[in-house]
Amino acid sequence: MSVTKAITRLDKSNVKLSLTIPKDDVLSQYQNLLKDYSKNVQIAGFRKGKVPQEVLERKFGEALKGEALGKIMEKAIEEVFDDNGLPADERPLAYSRPEIEEEPTLDFDKDLCFSLIYDVLPKVTVGQWKGLTADVPDVVIDEEDITRDLEEVRERNSVVIDRDEGAAAQSGDVVTVDYCELGEADEEIPHSDRKDFAFTLGTNMNAYQLDDDIIGMKKGETKVVQKSFPSDGPDDDSLLAGKNPKLRVTLKTIKEKKLPDLDDELAQDVDEKFKTLADLKKNIRERLEKSLTLRMKDIKVSNLLEKIMENTPVILPESMIRVEIEGRLRNMARQFGIEPSQLLQMMAGKDGGLQEIEGRMRPQAEKALHSRLIVEAIMEAQGIEASEADIEKELENIAVDAKMPLEDVRKRYGEGNALEYIRDSIRETKVFDLLLAENTIKTGSRVKYLDFMGKND
């Protein structure tokens, strides 16, 4: 079938694909459909396969035309999109569903013309990306950081025992609670409940930051608390920003931690390779320095990309933004320890609901996409690839870090798309290294390690 196409660029990385099929091809496709029906349809008074085409058209005319139109259009679309010569920026994004602009009609006296509208990968013309200067803070690991990490080691090696009956919960205790949100009449809001939620008081490792409300409660006690979360705080993109939820909390268990002494015995319990507490401290410093190096590289690259974004405008299609926001919503659901569907149900009952949350997420989603497209454009322009040797080296590193046999790692990453993920990660790392090599990084004022690593509340 002969198909003529024309691409018209629209706003927001949309295109209109106009297709034209000659009338002779349209008629031929229609007649082929009639022949197929004539061979297989059964109509009273005619033997199977002997139904005249004119009888079919008289009995099923409009239905046949509708089916033929659908099949002709589908075949034409497949023919265009299966063409390897079709440029990437003219193909629909995987998550963009092409829509027919206006449903055509089947007229054998005219060529069949119809148009599809869909999102395509944005065109990215990278501006200046060499010779830039980015600032990063000066971060040094000190004894305070080592001490704090040692306390975390003690926490992980602590023994948890039940508190005495009648004891009040205090900071550092491990508690288990049931909670739910309440409406204006103190009725339980559907899908907002959480059962047997365990956390350590004083860590604020819970979505509603209930630590201070639970401290002082006793086992079996139920309490209604009113919370308030500012809209302009450090978590202004969270689900609860700007909200004032009322919750009913029941304290089910209270356990206290018995911390081990900070000595050589603790170091040996952590790992048999440590003989003394000094060995453990040395290992902690090395681990923190490694984390700092990785985090510092991320910040350097991020600051450089922000400068590149300033001179590289990109028009993002709506479908691409939608997929990014949906991914962030799934991550938020995981942070709450619930299913995405339950999160959406929770938001449906709140003022502003899903639309408000998505609105707060949108700027960061757009920034992440903008940055990613620039990296991919540089990657393509510079011909950056991951060789088989690169992949093998990365698999060896994974085996060492995971303390697994190399063959087991090869087997695991040889399944599904895992190897492609590694390939993409290597290419991305090469782009980051190129950015750091082609630009200047200046060190600014001193910042505490904990603040820099984003662990300070």
Side-chain angles (χ1 to χ4, degrees), residues 425-440:
S425 178
I426 292 170
R427 295 173 71 211
E428 185 178 79
T429 297
K430 288 186 175 184
V431 173
F432 294 164
D433 290 341
L434 179 62
L435 289 177
L436 293 173
E438 295 289 349
N439 296 286
T440 301

Side-chain angles (χ1 to χ4, degrees), residues 46-62:
F46 298 94
R47 285 182 298 162
K48 183 178 180 181
K50 298 298 182 179
V51 181
Q53 291 187 6
E54 58 270 20
V55 173
L56 284 175
E57 289 186 290
R58 207 165 43 241
K59 188 172 182 65
F60 305 109
E62 291 306 314

Side-chain angles (χ1 to χ4, degrees), residues 42-233:
Q42 288 185 318
I43 296 179
F46 298 94
R47 285 182 298 162
K48 183 178 180 181
K50 298 298 182 179
V51 181
Q53 291 187 6
E54 58 270 20
V55 173
L56 284 175
E57 289 186 290
R58 207 165 43 241
K59 188 172 182 65
F60 305 109
E62 291 306 314
L64 284 170
K65 284 186 177 181
E67 184 176 346
L69 177 62
K71 289 187 174 182
I72 293 168
M73 292 171 63
E74 182 179 348
K75 187 175 181 180
I77 294 169
E78 287 179 357
E79 184 174 313
V80 171
F81 290 152
D82 287 346
D83 180 7
N84 292 329
L86 185 68
D89 63 354
E90 293 183 5
R91 295 182 180 277
L93 294 173
Y95 35 78
S96 171
R97 183 177 179 179
E99 296 182 0
I100 297 175
E101 184 178 37
E102 186 176 339
E103 193 73 35
T105 57
L106 199 61
D107 185 341
F108 300 122
D109 294 326
K110 299 179 181 178
D111 294 341
L112 176 60
C113 301
F114 65 98
S115 298
L116 299 173
I117 294 178
Y118 52 84
D119 291 341
V120 295
L121 192 68
K123 282 193 172 183
V124 180
T125 302
V126 181
Q128 181 186 356
W129 63 275
K130 297 181 180 181
L132 302 170
T133 300
D135 297 323
V136 296
D138 178 25
V139 185
V140 177
I141 296 169
D142 56 29
E143 283 303 313
E144 178 186 355
D145 301 310
I146 306 297
T147 300
R148 181 176 55 253
D149 207 277
L150 279 172
E151 287 303 312
E152 291 179 2
V153 171
R154 293 181 72 201
E155 285 279 343
R156 290 194 296 271
N157 287 271
S158 62
V159 177
V160 181
I161 59 175
D162 289 325
R163 275 200 174 277
D164 295 336
E165 288 295 327
Q170 58 188 19
S171 183
D173 286 347
V174 178
V175 297
T176 303
V177 300
D178 291 346
Y179 67 79
C180 67
E181 281 197 46
L182 302 176
E184 293 182 0
D186 285 349
E187 77 283 6
E188 181 177 329
I189 296 177
H191 312 296
S192 69
D193 63 309
R194 184 79 184 272
K195 302 293 186 185
D196 297 323
F197 178 66
F199 67 100
T200 301
L201 289 176
T203 61
N204 273 327
M205 296 296 290
N206 59 92
Y208 293 96
Q209 298 177 14
L210 294 167
D211 301 61
D212 290 342
D213 304 293
I214 293 173
I215 290 174
M217 290 179 64
K218 297 180 180 180
K219 180 180 176 180
E221 185 179 346
T222 297
K223 183 178 183 181
V224 174
V225 298
Q226 181 72 55
K227 305 296 293 185
S228 180
F229 298 94
S231 59
D232 57 352

Side-chain angles (χ1 to χ4, degrees), residues 3-6 17-21 76-77 80 112-116:
V3 182
T4 303
K5 70 177 181 68
L17 172 65
S18 300
L19 302 179
T20 301
I21 307 165
I77 294 169
V80 171
L112 176 60
C113 301
F114 65 98
S115 298
L116 299 173

